[in-house]
């Protein structure tokens, strides 16, 4: 019998604390623009600096979580997030706000790195990441319903800081560090990264995928207020409903699991997202704006959950999950500034067309990686046969199947030969007898 699956709530909470800043990006940028008197490009640059700092944390700490300890790094990240975002929320001096946002961003990136590394080691990483996306979507929806009714530039920053403080007590359930000599053998800290080519392709594609998503997300508030002629409160309601629809999407992805593999949800979902972005960017009223945003936010976390699972399947130690996530954060960081520049130079509809075209192009390599790797971790000791029947992959895709480092055999597939046994199995013997060399197997006594 399989052991019952336990929910990794500390990792879900840490995931929520790390991902909350990107989810609140539109209202954060909009509040900085209006509350501090910044231009749209300047506010977008502050958002990009925050997310760039978050990505930097991922690249620096990807291989250090085991050695330093998940608990230590998680607490450091939450402390930096609380201090950085909290300080930025309490001051109106632009340099101090930028510095606080970057410190907080590094803290968010540290928390996300720990969460991604530990989730990759879970028996069912897709389930854990789906729960994390559910949690962060729900919390962000509450913030979007609350913030428009309150004054001040730093409310969203304060919400992120308070979330970090609330998650802190749960870090006691994370493992501490294991200092000592670093292992260099299989599975050690310096072991060679598996699936290097697939991982690099996925990382590059995720950078562009996230850039396109957040280029629109960073200016969505301005589209709603400026082009669709909606109030800030109405835009906040649309965002909250969109994130609520995202909850349903993640629930559906969690229920579906690996039944369709990962290539179809990733490739087909990205094509649908491209259409939603084009619709949202060209919206001129409540109907088209709400339709684009709600449909987009329903599909986006579904595809993201499969991408997180695909990155986790490339390396059971979680290094590709962190590196791909950090590359995604780089794209996320460049998104607000890219969206601000494109919309200022060409307008929102043209910006949407450019972003949608880029997504259609980037869907191809992501789908190819999912098809090439199968998108499923294999059982330890199993061999993936090129061109053969993916029986091991199908078995390993079942929830709760343990993952491990698996060699990939490059030799041509060898036929499976059945070896018949001579005679029939001997029946159970009830009495002892003398041995007889001439007695045939199965002969009567």
């Amino acid at each position: 019998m399989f052991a019952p699956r336990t929910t990794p709530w500390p990792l879900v909470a840490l995931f929520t604390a790390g991902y909350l800043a990107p989810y609140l990006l539109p209202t954060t940028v909009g509040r900085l623009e209006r509350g501090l008197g910044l231009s749209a490009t300047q506010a977008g640059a502050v958002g990009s600096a925050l997310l760039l700092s978050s990505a930097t944390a991922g690249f620096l700490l990807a291989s250090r979580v085991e050695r330093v300890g998940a608990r230590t790094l998680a607490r450091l990240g939450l402390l930096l997030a609380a201090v950085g975002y909290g300080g930025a929320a309490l001051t109106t001096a632009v340099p101090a706000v930028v510095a606080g946002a970057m410190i907080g961003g590094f803290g968010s990136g540290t928390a996300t790195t720990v969460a991604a590394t530990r989730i990759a080691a879970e028996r069912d990483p897709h389930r854990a990441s789906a729960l994390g996306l559910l949690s962060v979507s729900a919390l962000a929806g509450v913030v979007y319903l609350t913030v428009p009714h309150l004054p001040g530039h730093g409310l969203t920053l304060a919400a992120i800081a308070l979330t970090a403080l609330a998650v802190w007590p749960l870090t006691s359930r994370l493992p501490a560090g294991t200092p000592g000599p670093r292992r260099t053998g299989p599975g050690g800290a310096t072991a060679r990264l598996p699936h290097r080519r697939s991982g690099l392709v996925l990382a590059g594609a995720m950078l562009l995928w996230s850039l396109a998503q957040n280029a629109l997300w960073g200016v969505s508030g301005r589209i709603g207020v400026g082009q669709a002629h909606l109030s800030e409160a109405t835009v906040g309601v649309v965002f909250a409903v969109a994130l609520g629809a995202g909850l349903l999407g993640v629930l559906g992805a969690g229920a579906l699991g690996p039944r369709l593999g990962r290539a179809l949800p990733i490739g087909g979902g990205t094509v649908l997202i491209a259409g939603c972005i084009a619709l949202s960017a060209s919206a001129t009223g409540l109907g088209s704006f709400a339709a684009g945003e709600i449909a987009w936010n329903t599909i986006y976390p579904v595809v993201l959950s499969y991408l997180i699972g695909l990155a986790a399947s490339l390396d059971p130690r979680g290094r590709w999950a962190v590196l791909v996530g950090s590359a995604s954060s780089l794209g996320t960081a460049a998104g607000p500034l890219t969206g601000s520049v494109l919309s200022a130079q060409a307008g929102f509809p043209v910006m949407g067309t450019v972003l949608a075209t880029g997504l259609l192009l980037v869907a191809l390599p992501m789908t190819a990686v999912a098809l090439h790797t199968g998108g499923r971790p294999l059982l330890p000791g199993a061999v993936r046969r090129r061109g053969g029947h993916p029986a091991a992959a199908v078995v390993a895709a079942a929830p709760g199947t343990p993952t491990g480092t698996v060699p990939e055999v490059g030799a041509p597939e060898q036929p499976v030969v059945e070896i018949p046994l001579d005679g029939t199995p001997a029946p159970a013997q009830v009495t002892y007898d003398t041995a007889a060399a001439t007695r045939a197997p199965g002969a009567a006594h």
Side-chain angles (χ1 to χ4, degrees):
M1 294 180 63
F2 290 108
R5 293 183 298 177
T6 58
T7 301
W9 290 118
L11 296 182
V12 172
L14 196 62
F15 185 100
T16 302
Y19 263 79
L20 188 58
Y23 264 68
L24 295 179
L25 189 63
T27 187
T28 300
V29 171
R31 285 277 168 156
L32 291 176
E33 180 183 351
R34 291 185 294 273
L36 299 179
L38 302 178
S39 68
T41 302
Q42 289 172 332
V46 175
S48 292
L50 183 160
L51 297 173
L52 180 61
S53 181
S54 179
T56 301
F59 284 117
L60 291 178
L61 302 174
S63 61
R64 292 175 170 83
V65 175
E66 262 188 27
R67 184 173 52 170
V68 178
R71 185 189 307 164
T72 301
L73 276 181
R75 287 178 171 177
L76 174 63
L78 294 175
L79 177 63
L80 291 175
V83 172
Y85 294 128
L90 295 174
T91 182
T92 56
V94 174
V97 170
V98 174
M102 293 186 68
I103 292 172
F106 194 91
S108 293
T110 302
T112 302
T113 298
V114 177
T117 302
R118 298 300 305 173
I119 285 174
E122 288 289 311
R123 295 172 66 87
D124 191 351
H126 182 270
R127 176 173 176 266
S129 60
L131 287 173
L133 289 171
L134 279 173
S135 176
V136 70
S137 296
L139 182 56
V142 171
V143 174
Y144 277 119
L145 286 174
T146 305
V147 166
H149 302 286
L150 300 172
H153 77 280
L155 287 175
T156 53
L157 297 172
I160 305 170
L162 292 175
T163 301
L165 292 176
V167 171
W168 176 282
L170 295 177
T171 58
S172 60
R173 297 170 60 183
L174 296 176
T178 53
R182 298 179 70 185
R183 297 175 295 165
T184 57
T190 58
R192 178 185 176 91
L193 271 172
H195 301 291
R196 285 198 170 191
R197 183 166 58 183
S198 295
L200 289 173
V201 170
L202 183 60
M206 276 292 289
L207 188 154
L208 298 175
W209 188 84
S210 296
L211 185 149
Q213 308 282 338
N214 286 277
L216 179 66
W217 188 236
V219 299
S220 286
R222 290 167 50 204
I223 293 174
V225 173
Q227 182 173 279
H229 308 294
L230 306 175
S231 67
E232 183 186 359
T234 303
V235 171
V237 171
V238 171
F239 286 160
V241 173
L243 291 174
L247 296 179
L248 299 178
V250 176
L251 285 173
L256 184 63
R259 291 180 179 85
L260 296 179
R262 290 192 176 96
L264 179 60
I266 289 172
T270 299
V271 171
L272 292 176
I273 288 173
C276 294
I277 285 180
L279 173 62
S280 184
S282 61
T284 55
L286 176 60
S288 55
F289 180 74
E293 292 289 329
I294 292 172
W296 174 32
N297 281 278
T298 301
I299 303 168
Y300 166 79
V302 176
V303 180
L304 180 60
S305 69
Y306 280 98
L307 286 169
I308 292 173
L310 176 59
S313 74
L314 296 180
D315 176 24
R317 293 191 61 250
R319 290 168 293 178
W320 273 126
V322 175
L323 292 174
V324 169
S326 298
S328 173
S329 296
L330 283 178
T332 302
L337 187 58
T338 302
S340 296
V341 172
L342 278 176
S343 60
Q345 297 296 323
F348 293 121
V350 174
M351 177 202 70
T353 301
V354 171
L355 297 178
T357 302
L359 278 177
L360 293 176
L361 294 176
V362 84
L364 297 175
M366 291 195 304
T367 305
V369 170
L371 289 171
H372 175 70
T373 62
R376 306 175 180 93
L378 298 181
L379 291 171
V383 177
R384 181 182 302 154
R385 300 185 298 166
R386 297 182 187 271
H389 190 275
V394 172
V395 173
T401 303
T403 62
T405 304
V406 181
E408 185 168 322
V409 177
E413 179 185 353
Q414 300 297 323
V416 178
V417 179
E418 295 185 3
I419 304 176
L421 298 177
D422 294 331
T424 58
Q429 195 167 332
V430 294
T431 59
Y432 291 102
D433 197 357
T434 55
T438 58
R439 184 172 295 155
H445 293 282

